[in-house]
Amino acid sequence: MKVVLFCGGLGTRLMEHSQRTPKPIVSIGTRPILWHLMKYYAHYGHKEFILCLGHQGDMIREYFDRTGLGRPGGPVSRTRGSIELHGLGVEDWKITCVDTGLETNIGQRLSAVEPYLNGDDIFFANYADGLTDLPLRSYVDFFQRQEAIGAFACVRPPQSFHVVTLQDDATVNSIRPASESGMWINGGFFILRREIFDHLRGGEDLVEGAFPALARRGGLLAYRYPGFWACMDTFKEYQHLQSLYERGDAPWTVWRRSGWRAMAGIR
């Protein structure tokens, strides 16, 4: 299954750290968060990636083209608006970078890369700014047993805000941390059938446009996962991920048992 990664957003809430660096290539440890996410999928055998580029897309393309994972002199295929890189460094990944516009929404970016899916019936999609240790094989099995068109990881909110319930006269009934409120949120990590493109006409957004329509028809699933999930929307969230990594307590590094720590020179 191919993996579509949305890498074109402005990342405005992280600008105090990444004003000159696109959010997907802000480093956690010595590698960009994008690499960590791709390594997660590759661990489960999904090694073909389609990167939807937009804001500062050239910097993301150049990262793979000339530095870091890129093997000097390695094979590179170029087509109009895209670039493919094969056999990156020690990784046997195929990466296709596609320009999908500067101000397009997620649904428009997804529609722009439809030709690159080559008729795949089911594929992954991801915001490219979150990490998890979600058991991907179990999630895929859950999706394939049903006939829904789309699914997303449903997670507990990790933020520190408090949820309030109150009466009409403003009397507070309760106030408690969001993590203890029973609330679930969209954590991304989408699985989609090709039929999703039938619901993205007219420039509709994926989550705010197509998903509500699918939900009304019973075509949308939420895979509830109470385990580790974290996004990197803000500088505080970046610091949290960096701290976990530096302590050697990064749950998303599911590939560690495959010898990654030794390969990367991490003690």
Side-chain angles (χ1 to χ4, degrees):
M1 292 168 59
K2 294 182 178 66
V3 185
V4 176
L5 299 172
F6 303 119
C7 303
L10 294 175
T12 54
R13 286 184 287 178
L14 195 63
M15 275 190 175
E16 60 188 286
H17 176 73
S18 63
Q19 189 170 6
R20 298 181 180 178
T21 304
K23 182 163 63 168
I25 56 173
V26 170
S27 291
I28 303 298
T30 59
R31 298 283 197 180
I33 187 172
L34 183 60
W35 179 89
H36 289 263
L37 184 61
M38 294 165 74
K39 188 73 174 178
Y40 164 84
Y41 280 109
H43 173 74
Y44 290 102
H46 308 288
K47 301 180 181 181
E48 292 190 47
F49 303 95
I50 302 169
L51 275 55
C52 301
L53 304 184
H55 177 66
Q56 295 181 313
D58 286 347
M59 293 182 66
I60 297 174
R61 180 186 283 108
E62 289 169 4
Y63 172 80
F64 290 107
D65 197 13
R66 73 179 164 75
T67 63
L69 300 179
R71 176 182 295 164
V76 176
S77 302
R78 295 178 184 271
T79 58
R80 186 173 62 181
S82 71
I83 177 174
E84 293 186 3
L85 302 96
H86 309 270
L88 298 178
V90 297
E91 314 292 359
D92 56 340
W93 301 349
K94 176 182 177 181
I95 302 172
T96 302
C97 297
V98 183
D99 294 322
T100 58
L102 294 177
E103 299 181 0
T104 47
N105 61 42
I106 294 296
Q108 291 170 322
R109 294 188 192 282
L110 183 58
S111 294
V113 301
E114 180 182 4
Y116 298 90
L117 292 168
N118 298 324
D120 285 17
D121 291 331
I122 301 176
F123 60 94
F124 298 103
N126 202 294
Y127 290 127
D129 63 358
L131 299 169
T132 186
D133 61 356
L134 182 154
L136 195 60
R137 292 191 185 98
S138 297
Y139 180 22
V140 172
D141 290 345
F142 162 82
F143 182 76
Q144 291 180 326
R145 289 195 302 268
Q146 305 183 62
E147 297 182 357
I149 294 175
F152 58 90
C154 194
V155 300
R156 297 293 192 186
Q159 292 86 357
S160 57
F161 64 84
H162 290 76
V163 175
V164 178
T165 61
L166 64 161
Q167 300 176 20
D168 291 341
D169 65 358
T171 301
V172 173
N173 290 327
S174 67
I175 178 170
R176 52 185 170 169
S179 58
E180 300 175 7
S181 67
M183 180 188 300
W184 292 88
I185 63 173
N186 165 26
F189 286 81
F190 307 111
I191 303 180
L192 302 167
R193 296 189 191 275
R194 195 168 186 83
E195 290 91 331
I196 190 63
F197 294 106
D198 296 331
H199 300 269
L200 290 173
R201 304 307 177 194
E204 279 195 316
D205 183 60
L206 178 65
V207 174
E208 296 184 5
F211 275 7
L214 288 179
R216 289 192 293 270
R217 298 180 177 92
L220 184 64
L221 300 173
Y223 185 78
R224 284 181 286 191
Y225 184 60
F228 176 82
W229 175 91
C231 65
M232 195 180 70
D233 270 345
T234 66
F235 184 60
K236 181 179 179 180
E237 290 166 341
Y238 157 76
Q239 289 180 310
H240 173 63
L241 290 171
Q242 182 71 13
S243 175
L244 289 174
Y245 187 87
E246 290 175 351
R247 297 201 312 258
D249 184 25
W252 67 87
T253 57
V254 294
W255 57 88
R256 281 179 170 177
R257 53 184 173 270
S258 300
W260 169 80
R261 288 176 65 83
M263 179 185 73
I266 295 177
R267 295 181 176 84

